[in-house]
Each structure stands twice: as structure tokens, then as C-alpha cells.
Amino acid sequence: MGEVLVLVEQTDGTVKKVTSELLTLARRLGEPSAVWVGAGCDDAALAALGEYGAATVYVAGDAELAKHPVAPAAEVLAQLVAEKSPTAVLIASTADGKEVAGRLAVKADSGVITDAVDIDAALVATQSVFGGSTVVHSSVT
């Protein structure tokens, strides 16, 4: 299994719960690597990321990057995807996260799956659609 990139969601240097959930999920798929964009990645943040399985933390720590949360994150991820060829990239399903994912898919000439509730080792995502009345399994080809 290869590397799985997880975009870190954080506020003022505090890692959000969704990041720990994605890192935990990433451990099922390969070797989790956290991607921190913006300032504030200190020893406490690194410890929190490591606690949930981040074997590597890539930091683009320029404070200017946080002023525009979408474009810089997509660019940093695109560069890592080109350099590292990860198995998958996991991004929280927030408004910014969905936009980052879409931009990354275009930059990487790949696909995107939004609002997944699970993903298995074969990289098949589970989505709950139509108000939860239907479960869909999908994958990027």
C-alpha cells in the first residue's frame, strides 16, 4: 500500500476532529501523510497528527497561504500528487474542502468523489444519497 495524503483542517493551529478521522481512515488504505497549508504547525499540532497515524507531515507554512485557503491548498496538493503519486488524497467534505478537491482533480487530471462516508482498501467509496435512502458505491477511474 502506498502513501495516502490527508489535507489538514485546522483553526489557529488546532487540528480539527475531521482531520483525525481522515487520518484514522487513511491507515486502512496505506501510509497516512498529513498536508498542512498555512502557519501554525507547531510541536503540539505535529504530536496530534502523529497520534492519529500521520507518518509524514508536509508543511507549507507561509502565513500568506492561509489568506486564500482554497487555491494554495490545491496547488500544494497538486505538487505533492505529481511528486509522490499517492494512493489517494482525502479531503474533508467542507465547503472549502470540496472546492480544493475539485481544483485538485482538474490539476491532477483525475476525478473526485464528494460526500463519501467510507472508503475500502480497494478505493471504493460509499456514499449515502437521496436523504440516506440509497447507498452508492463509486470509485475514480
Side-chain angles (χ1 to χ4, degrees):
M1 293 188 166
E3 184 174 30
V4 178
L5 300 177
V6 174
L7 181 62
V8 174
E9 289 275 334
Q10 54 91 13
T11 301
D12 299 325
T14 302
V15 178
K16 291 186 177 181
K17 181 180 176 185
V18 69
T19 300
S20 59
E21 292 169 346
L22 289 175
L23 285 168
T24 300
L25 176 64
R27 291 189 310 208
R28 294 190 309 185
L29 308 175
E31 183 176 294
S33 293
V35 180
W36 186 291
V37 180
C41 187
D42 58 14
D43 289 341
L46 291 172
L49 295 170
E51 180 181 340
Y52 288 98
T56 304
V57 179
Y58 300 104
V59 179
D62 187 344
E64 289 294 313
L65 298 177
K67 290 182 179 179
H68 305 282
V70 173
E75 186 60 36
V76 168
L77 284 170
Q79 290 175 5
L80 285 170
V81 166
E83 291 172 17
K84 306 294 182 183
S85 299
T87 299
V89 179
L90 303 181
I91 302 171
S93 191
T94 61
D96 286 345
K98 288 178 183 181
E99 189 171 345
V100 169
R103 289 178 184 224
L104 174 61
V106 170
K107 290 176 181 293
D109 195 27
S110 185
V112 62
I113 296 173
T114 60
D115 300 326
V117 295
D118 197 12
I119 187 167
D120 66 21
L123 300 180
V124 175
T126 301
Q127 295 164 281
S128 179
V129 298
F130 301 122
S133 65
T134 304
V135 172
V136 177
H137 300 283
S138 52
S139 61
V140 174
T141 57

